[in-house]
Amino acid sequence: AQSVSQHNHHVILSEAASLELGCNYSYGGTVNLFWYVQYPGQHLQLLLKYFSGDPLVKGIKGFEAEFIKSKFSFNLRKPSVQWSDTAEYFCAVNLYSSASKIIFGSGTRLSIRP
Amino acid sequence: GAGVSQSPSNKVTEKGKDVELRCDPISGHTALYWYRQRLGQGLEFLIYFQGNSAPDKSGLPSDRFSAERTGESVSTLTIQRTQQEDSAVYLCASSGTYRTREAQYFGPGTRLLVL
């Protein structure tokens, strides 16, 4: 069965540190990839997405993610985090063959120390 | 409205009772999705609507769960004879079309607690 793995459940960083959150998926076909973010007390919202083309995708608030097909990975990065980045981050995969279903990872909680 | 809305925001019920959760998608969005998020876990797909038909019900965990949608508008998720394991946040999302490559816009969720 298709799945999405986020191996880091809770990451704690100091402000200005660099961030990389891992995401791996298990599916051999064409996929669309997403990162969603949920700030405390707010809705889930889209951070960035990859459909095709340049595997390095830039999103809002200085985030970027790189699709590495050979590794089935779509890691999220930010060179210098801020306290306001404290949130839960979800990686998600939409199987190209199944328009309806988006499979989410279990999420990574990011805590930034001011 | 400007975004996806859900009601109630919180629901506490007794085991065995039925509950109805409501979702109002973004106006004009044809696709609507229901997810469940248990504490400490990721989002679990339940059902998807394209207009008022449900081509994919594969995520519904049991026959106690059902959902309907009126036109391309409001959707209701009904859980009959609730069990304690049904306790979770139920999230609704909508997107412009049912096609792939569409990001979904999420509502705030309904937090359900079954005692």
Side-chain angles (χ1 to χ4, degrees), chain B residues 16-37:
Chain B
K17 295 279 179 68
D18 297 352
V19 295
E20 277 191 357
L21 312 179
R22 177 188 167 106
C23 172
D24 282 274
I26 292 173
S27 178
H29 277 189
T30 57
L32 186 147
Y33 309 78
W34 282 99
Y35 295 88
R36 177 169 71 177
Q37 185 178 22

Side-chain angles (χ1 to χ4, degrees), chain B residues 41-109:
Chain B
Q41 298 184 23
L43 276 71
E44 177 188 353
F45 170 81
L46 296 179
I47 188 171
Y48 140 73
F49 285 92
Q50 175 187 322
N52 63 1
S53 66
D56 190 344
K57 304 179 183 179
S58 63
L60 292 177
S62 76
D63 59 7
R64 296 186 295 105
F65 287 72
S66 63
E68 60 180 27
R69 187 180 185 194
T70 308
E72 292 185 353
S73 182
V74 173
S75 175
T76 303
L77 177 69
T78 301
I79 309 173
Q80 295 178 308
R81 304 180 303 281
T82 52
Q83 303 294 312
Q84 288 180 332
E85 63 262 27
D86 299 335
S87 296
V89 176
Y90 289 82
L91 290 165
C92 176
S94 69
S95 64
T97 72
Y98 59 91
R99 296 186 179 88
T100 57
R101 304 188 170 203
E102 280 280 350
Q104 299 176 358
Y105 295 85
F106 284 83

Side-chain angles (χ1 to χ4, degrees), chain A residues 32-95:
Chain A
N32 302 310
L33 298 155
F34 306 84
W35 275 97
Y36 284 84
V37 60
Q38 188 168 27
Y39 297 103
Q42 296 188 27
H43 309 179
L44 268 170
Q45 57 185 281
L46 183 68
L47 198 55
L48 50 77
K49 58 189 178 186
Y50 170 80
F51 294 152
S52 64
D54 188 346
L56 185 62
V57 178
K58 295 196 184 296
I60 60 172
K61 304 186 180 184
F63 285 91
E64 64 179 31
E66 184 175 13
F67 171 47
I68 303 179
K69 189 174 181 179
S70 61
K71 294 185 177 180
F72 299 91
S73 70
F74 190 56
N75 292 355
L76 181 71
R77 300 194 294 246
K78 185 171 183 178
S80 177
V81 294
Q82 301 173 303
W83 178 78
S84 58
D85 294 325
T86 295
E88 185 134 22
Y89 293 81
F90 293 91
C91 181
V93 173
N94 172 215
L95 307 182

